[in-house]
Amino acid sequence: MKFSRTSVILAAVAPSVSAFTSQSVNNRATSLAMSESSTPFFSSSIADALDREVSYQPGKADSDFARKYGHLAGAQVRTVGEAFTQFTDMLGTPVNALYKGICTDLVGSLHLIVVNARFSKDPVFSLGLVAVLDLMLKNYPEQDTAKKIKTAMITSVGLDEAEIDAEAATLEAWAQGKTKEDISSALKGEGDSPLAAIASAAKGDEYWMYSRFFGIGLIRIMDIVGVEQDMSVAYDCMEEWVGKCMEKPFYTACSDSDLYFKQKGKLDMMETMMKEIEIREKKRMADRLEAKAEAALKAAEKDLQMKEQIAEEAAKEKQEA
């Protein structure tokens, strides 16, 4: 039996005010409480909404979304902190100070994507993830540590590095020699290519989830097929591919495209700065080696002069004797 929220409130309040009201008022309040469910206001959708709110159970809503994902209600989900702890333990060495913030952000954002119930890994996502990691770590000072960072980051969020690399390589190989128009056709679901299969699956799933790495995977495909790597050009291409071809909301993808090029610019600046630092260090090392060489040369000259002087004095003493 369902009761509206106002009925419950009146039933709770009525006894507490009976000592301060007349019998007629009490009778009217009781009549209101008993009859309000038949009034037009409380028989409206507002009362139904309140009843649904009171009787709500996670994952039990009468909707397609709940029927598809309701079985996950109450499931244990790893936290970002747990993922980052695993990343740190697997890496086993401190991250370079210049890369620490980037690594932290990547582990967090990647983990939150993967644990989402709507997430479904595909080769475009894998290509985007590999592209991001390659871009970020290509100039890492210790390349052995860079490889460990990639492995630890992928594994800490529950993904398989070998599978990610294989999917990315397969899609990248397929895109070689293609044109922008070929990619547009594939993203419309035309043909039997890996990209067409991904697009068809996305179109057929109303709850398909876009992720930032999917967008970067499309940017990587743009680069392969010869689309100019410029923020405004990539924005228009992303709008066409995601909005018109895949028929999905494209604003987030376009925003991620702009963010990618901004971050790429910062990484390029950091790369330039690190190269300048490396050049300065090499110059300082060369200057130190040159100074040591000059000092050694002067010492050798001084020793030679000393030997010549000793030889001259010995010859002179011999003549005098």
Side-chain angles (χ1 to χ4, degrees):
M1 180 177 180
K2 296 184 178 179
F3 295 94
S4 68
R5 184 172 295 179
T6 308
S7 300
V8 175
I9 294 173
L10 286 173
V13 171
S16 63
V17 299
S18 60
F20 305 97
T21 57
S22 64
Q23 187 65 30
S24 59
V25 173
N26 288 338
N27 292 338
R28 285 196 298 273
T30 303
S31 300
L32 174 61
M34 296 298 293
S35 62
E36 63 184 2
S37 59
S38 61
T39 62
F41 178 83
F42 288 103
S43 62
S44 67
S45 59
I46 297 178
D48 294 337
L50 291 174
D51 289 334
R52 285 196 301 271
E53 182 178 349
V54 171
S55 61
Y56 171 76
Q57 293 180 356
K60 302 298 183 182
D62 184 19
S63 66
D64 292 337
F65 186 87
R67 280 185 282 274
K68 184 172 184 178
Y69 299 107
H71 65 285
L72 297 174
Q76 192 69 25
V77 180
R78 294 177 70 218
T79 64
V80 174
E82 290 172 337
F84 193 76
T85 298
Q86 184 178 353
F87 167 76
T88 304
D89 292 342
M90 289 187 63
L91 183 58
T93 184
V95 178
N96 185 288
L98 290 173
Y99 291 83
K100 195 167 186 178
I102 299 175
C103 288
T104 302
D105 291 343
L106 269 179
V107 172
S109 59
L110 183 58
H111 170 75
L112 292 175
I113 290 170
V114 172
V115 298
N116 192 307
R118 295 165 53 213
F119 170 73
S120 178
K121 181 176 65 64
D122 57 58
V124 178
F125 169 88
S126 299
L127 181 60
L129 179 56
V130 171
V132 167
L133 293 175
D134 288 348
L135 175 65
M136 181 186 77
L137 299 172
K138 68 176 181 178
N139 293 302
Y140 195 87
E142 299 86 18
Q143 281 301 301
D144 289 341
T145 303
K147 293 177 182 178
K148 291 180 181 178
I149 289 174
K150 178 184 176 182
T151 301
M153 188 170 296
I154 293 175
T155 307
S156 65
V157 298
L159 298 175
D160 183 85
E161 182 182 10
E163 187 177 342
I164 292 290
D165 288 338
E167 289 182 351
T170 300
L171 185 59
E172 192 170 23
W174 173 85
Q176 297 292 338
K178 299 294 190 298
T179 64
K180 178 184 174 183
E181 289 70 25
D182 293 334
I183 304 301
S184 297
S185 298
L187 288 173
K188 291 177 182 177
E190 300 173 359
D192 56 356
S193 66
L195 190 59
I198 295 168
S200 297
K203 285 185 174 184
D205 184 2
E206 64 175 316
Y207 301 116
W208 176 79
M209 188 185 91
Y210 164 85
S211 72
R212 177 170 296 171
F213 296 100
F214 185 93
I216 296 174
L218 292 180
I219 294 175
R220 175 63 186 134
I221 293 175
M222 292 180 200
D223 187 23
I224 295 172
V225 301
V227 175
E228 183 182 354
Q229 293 295 283
D230 177 78
M231 185 184 296
S232 58
V233 175
Y235 187 102
D236 294 338
C237 188
M238 190 70 76
E239 180 179 349
E240 177 185 345
W241 283 0
V242 178
K244 295 180 181 178
C245 298
M246 295 185 68
E247 300 175 358
K248 296 292 183 181
F250 60 87
Y251 294 108
T252 302
C254 292
S255 176
D256 287 341
S257 173
D258 287 348
L259 179 63
Y260 169 81
F261 284 103
K262 290 177 183 177
Q263 294 298 327
K264 185 175 182 296
K266 292 180 180 179
L267 287 171
D268 290 341
M269 289 177 60
M270 187 169 69
E271 176 186 351
T272 302
M273 181 181 69
M274 292 183 68
K275 286 183 177 179
E276 290 176 352
I277 292 173
E278 184 180 358
I279 292 171
R280 284 200 298 268
E281 286 299 322
K282 288 182 177 179
K283 187 174 183 303
R284 288 175 185 172
M285 185 179 293
D287 291 341
R288 287 195 295 268
L289 291 174
E290 184 179 356
K292 288 181 179 180
E294 289 179 358
L297 183 59
K298 288 180 180 180
E301 290 177 352
K302 187 176 181 180
D303 289 343
L304 182 59
Q305 289 175 358
M306 182 67 70
K307 289 179 181 179
E308 290 176 352
Q309 186 176 357
I310 292 173
E312 289 177 0
E313 291 179 354
K316 188 181 292 184
E317 289 177 356
K318 188 176 180 181
Q319 288 178 358
E320 291 177 354

